Amino acid sequence: MIAETDAELIEQGRKLFAGDWRFIWAAPSIETLPPMAGLEVAFAGRSNVGKSSLINALTGRNNLARTSHTPGRTQELIFFEGPEKAAFRLVDMPGYGYASAPKTKVASWTALIHKFLLGRATLARVYVLIDARHGIKDVDLDVLKTLDKSAVSYQVVLTKADQVKAGELETVVADTTAALATHPAAFPEVLVTSSRTGSGMPELRAAMVRLLAERRG
């Protein structure tokens, strides 16, 4: 029964992300956010973790989210909207932990993210992207604590899994799962993905379909 349910969710996820996805808004400040509508999920992560690549892989579009070889390029909250009937948006959050950025800029990004998390009633979940080659770092823990304080539901997604040997990947998944046990707002299951190979994308799409059904149920 579980396998059938999973297969159904994966197919629903495939259909949702095969639809029309487009860029709709860029907000450099909390005052410039788009009006709240439908449900939103946001993607957070260190500047070079591959957020834009993941969004492109999810939606099957190479250039929906702009990828850059320069970490810290995204300095705004970027909104993408799905098919009209879905009433569902993806939000690409500014990358954090980019050491070369001026401290004042980092502070303004941090303030923007905090305000967004606290005041967005339509935000259903934050997916925190962690590089599978490195696991959870101190800068990631700071963000997880912020999410715990904000009481925002979040789930960890490991990226770049294709660049890690299977045995090492198992260790990273186990260590990450153990670390999340002490975080009250964390969803316990860790998702493992590769934007390059597409592995884990069906499961991530299915997780979002399940989340949408729960929030709208």
Side-chain angles (χ1 to χ4, degrees):
M1 187 69 180
I2 291 172
E4 284 179 21
T5 305
D6 286 351
E8 189 177 318
L9 286 171
I10 283 172
E11 176 59 15
Q12 288 174 10
R14 185 194 67 77
K15 286 180 179 175
L16 173 61
F17 282 92
D20 180 35
W21 284 85
R22 62 198 183 281
F23 163 82
I24 60 160
W25 204 284
S29 67
I30 212 74
E31 293 78 22
T32 57
L33 286 172
M36 288 188 268
L39 289 175
E40 298 167 342
V41 297
F43 296 90
R46 292 203 305 276
S47 296
N48 56 353
V49 78
K51 283 191 282 76
S52 298
S53 297
L54 182 108
I55 289 169
N56 288 337
L58 265 178
T59 57
R61 285 159 178 75
N62 293 331
N63 299 309
L64 181 66
R66 287 184 301 171
T67 57
S68 171
H69 295 297
T70 307
R73 180 64 61 84
T74 302
Q75 298 171 19
E76 303 166 312
L77 290 161
I78 309 293
F79 289 75
F80 304 98
E81 194 160 68
E84 197 172 324
K85 289 181 182 176
F88 182 41
R89 293 171 176 172
L90 308 178
V91 187
D92 187 1
M93 301 176 78
Y96 57 79
Y98 181 43
S100 302
K103 285 187 177 178
T104 51
K105 187 170 279 187
V106 172
S108 67
W109 295 352
T110 306
L112 174 62
I113 290 168
H114 285 200
K115 288 176 185 173
F116 175 71
L117 293 174
L118 288 167
R120 201 73 180 169
T122 46
L123 184 62
R125 179 166 293 166
V126 175
Y127 290 95
V128 181
L129 276 48
I130 305 285
D131 191 323
R133 298 171 300 177
H134 308 304
I136 294 178
K137 298 288 190 185
D138 287 346
V139 68
D140 299 311
L141 286 173
D142 289 342
V143 171
L144 300 189
K145 287 172 187 170
T146 296
L147 290 164
D148 289 331
K149 284 179 191 169
S150 306
V152 175
S153 166
Y154 63 91
Q155 185 166 14
V156 166
V157 178
L158 295 176
T159 62
K160 306 183 183 183
D162 59 295
Q163 298 179 41
V164 183
K165 291 177 182 174
E168 293 171 6
L169 187 60
E170 281 182 22
T171 302
V172 172
V173 171
D175 290 348
T176 305
T177 303
L180 291 175
T182 60
H183 291 272
F187 192 79
E189 182 188 359
V190 174
L191 294 168
V192 181
T193 66
S194 164
S195 298
R196 194 171 66 82
T197 67
S199 69
M201 295 301 159
E203 290 77 12
L204 179 52
R205 294 184 192 115
M208 291 187 200
V209 168
R210 185 188 291 117
L211 174 66
L212 292 174
E214 288 170 359
R215 285 293 297 260
R216 287 169 177 158

